[in-house]
Amino acid sequence: MPHDSPAPPPSDRVRLRRKPGRGHYDRATIDAILDAVPICHVGVVIDGQPYVTPTFHWREGDHLYIHGARTNRTLMAAAGAEVCVTVSRLDGLVLARSAMHHSANFRSVMVLGRARLVDDPEAKRARLKGFIEALYPGRWETLRPITDNELKATAVLSLPLDEASAKIRADGPSDDAADYALPIWAGTLPLALKAAGPPQPDPRNLDGVEVPACLKAWEVA
């Protein structure tokens, strides 16, 4: 689906070269994808060997944040290093009349930049609150406060969204002209993230403790 992107690529490193019409460089598109998908993959090179690890992410303004244990080798290696963070969401399977033209509809984002360790304890506490609130609005204030030891054991990395691009495919099949005459079904199987199932309570919950409203919004209709 060719388009006129409302924004130019911020750098050649994130410019789409294959299928450039699928590239999007405006922050509204990039932010929407980042906010809709809570899992990312972080790539970093350690002693000449590339490593990629999945983790949760969240966005606050112009920065993407990731967190993990300070004992996480990949995460700590990313602090102060050039990293590549990717996020993707599968929207559909595209069936064509030939194996070569089968494809998928998707939304994805790639972010490049130098990750920075959030050292200030209060800034880190605020970022972790943002993480919880992004997934479960209103829950942070209901929780037992995070302890200083928990804060020290957790690493939070910040990555600016200065170099980011989105790639989106939202089309049907594209076959060779001669193949449209073949009696083969072609089309798209739309996919969507399933709604959450009913919350499963911890057996050790105290009597009378109700499911929080932030989870009720996720339940199956």
Side-chain angles (χ1 to χ4, degrees):
M1 182 181 294
H3 70 282
D4 293 324
S5 178
S11 74
D12 279 341
R13 298 202 302 171
V14 295
R15 181 192 301 273
L16 269 72
R17 289 170 171 78
R18 184 176 184 276
K19 304 285 187 179
R22 295 177 183 171
H24 297 256
Y25 307 103
D26 61 290
R27 281 291 305 279
T29 300
I30 291 168
D31 290 355
I33 297 171
L34 292 175
D35 294 348
V37 183
I39 294 289
C40 69
H41 288 80
V42 182
V44 65
V45 176
I46 304 175
D47 297 330
Q49 170 66 49
Y51 291 87
V52 176
T53 187
T55 188
F56 278 105
H57 73 269
W58 68 101
R59 183 186 64 85
E60 295 184 41
D62 296 330
H63 286 78
L64 192 70
Y65 294 93
I66 58 177
H67 88 299
R70 278 192 170 271
T71 55
N72 184 305
R73 180 183 181 223
T74 304
L75 193 69
M76 294 310 297
E82 289 288 329
V83 300
C84 176
V85 176
T86 60
V87 169
S88 59
R89 181 167 183 168
L90 182 63
D91 292 323
L93 300 176
V94 180
L95 293 77
R97 294 165 181 82
S98 67
M100 185 67 178
H101 290 301
H102 277 58
S103 189
N105 285 337
F106 61 89
R107 286 167 281 169
S108 65
V109 166
M110 181 175 71
V111 184
L112 299 177
R114 186 172 296 276
R116 179 182 64 85
L117 193 64
V118 179
D119 284 320
D120 179 74
E122 290 311 307
K124 189 193 297 187
R125 194 185 305 271
R127 300 292 77 77
L128 292 174
K129 177 181 179 180
F131 168 50
I132 294 295
E133 289 295 305
L135 285 174
Y136 319 106
R139 186 161 177 78
W140 181 265
E141 298 302 331
T142 71
L143 301 176
R144 184 262 294 158
I146 191 170
T147 67
D148 291 340
N149 284 338
E150 289 172 335
L151 209 58
K152 290 176 182 178
T154 304
V156 175
L157 297 184
S158 170
L159 182 65
L161 292 171
D162 297 335
E163 274 190 281
S165 64
K167 185 176 182 180
I168 300 175
R169 188 191 194 279
D171 296 319
S174 179
D175 278 301
D176 293 341
D179 290 344
Y180 286 100
L182 298 174
I184 300 171
W185 189 92
T188 302
L189 179 65
L191 299 176
L193 291 177
K194 292 183 178 179
Q200 300 177 4
D202 185 336
R204 298 182 65 174
N205 280 347
L206 299 180
D207 291 341
V209 175
E210 297 183 354
V211 175
C214 62
L215 282 190
K216 289 180 179 179
W218 286 75
E219 289 185 41
V220 175

